[in-house]
Amino acid sequence: MNNVRSYQGLEPRIAPDAYVDETAVVLGDVEVGAQASIWPMAVVRGDIHRIHIGAGSNIQDGSVLHVSHDSRFLPGGAPTIVHERVTVGHQAMLHGCEIHDHCLVGIGARVLDRAVLRPRVMLAAGALVPPGKKLDGGWLYVGAPAKRARALTDLELEYLDYAAVHYMELAVRHRATAG
């Protein structure tokens, strides 16, 4: 089975130094930037709209990235855009949303159609961002639906960058040992 595959002529575009685990699935209109990583059992399915994963971002184990198609219910549809140095925790769900630079999406969090996380948001584990909601940068959001909990500390802001760099370094080690 080929885990990186085209769909109806839409071919994934993966930077040469990106890491895609052999058990992850990347399908269709997907772009994966430099030093980005997609970990075991993640699904990145750009079959009915596009998905962009920016440089240095990581999509961790079991996460699902999908999109919404153009219809009278959602004119123009909703692509999934993950900007640079974003950390997407294990089993997160990103569906037709936009995650800006230096964000952290916690384990099992869900971000739905046309929701936007502005730069430097920390979204807690299990949080739910409803369709169309916009989260301001520099804050921790918790709950379902996600609500602003408090401003991020200097240490947490530093961690947003640390987490992305850590996964870039880890991906280099995994690529070196991949068969």
Side-chain angles (χ1 to χ4, degrees), residues 78-109:
T80 294
I81 311 290
V82 176
H83 290 271
E84 295 187 3
R85 294 193 177 204
V86 172
T87 295
V88 178
H90 310 290
Q91 294 186 332
M93 168 71 73
L94 303 182
H95 198 280
C97 59
E98 185 170 10
I99 314 294
H100 283 271
D101 297 347
H102 306 281
C103 287
L104 184 144
V105 177
I107 294 169

Side-chain angles (χ1 to χ4, degrees), residues 61-86:
D61 312 59
S63 293
V64 175
L65 279 63
H66 196 229
V67 292
S68 283
H69 68 284
D70 177 29
S71 71
R72 68 184 178 98
F73 304 103
L74 193 64
T80 294
I81 311 290
V82 176
H83 290 271
E84 295 187 3
R85 294 193 177 204
V86 172

Side-chain angles (χ1 to χ4, degrees), residues 145-157:
K147 298 202 182 318
R148 185 185 289 187
R150 60 172 173 74
L152 295 176
T153 67
D154 289 343
L155 189 61
E156 288 167 332
L157 288 166

Side-chain angles (χ1 to χ4, degrees), residues 123-136:
L123 182 62
L128 169 67
V129 182
K133 185 167 178 107
K134 293 174 178 38
L135 306 185
D136 293 325

Side-chain angles (χ1 to χ4, degrees), residues 151-171:
L152 295 176
T153 67
D154 289 343
L155 189 61
E156 288 167 332
L157 288 166
E158 186 179 327
Y159 181 76
L160 295 175
D161 294 323
Y162 166 83
V165 170
H166 168 72
Y167 268 88
M168 285 188 280
E169 293 168 352
L170 186 59

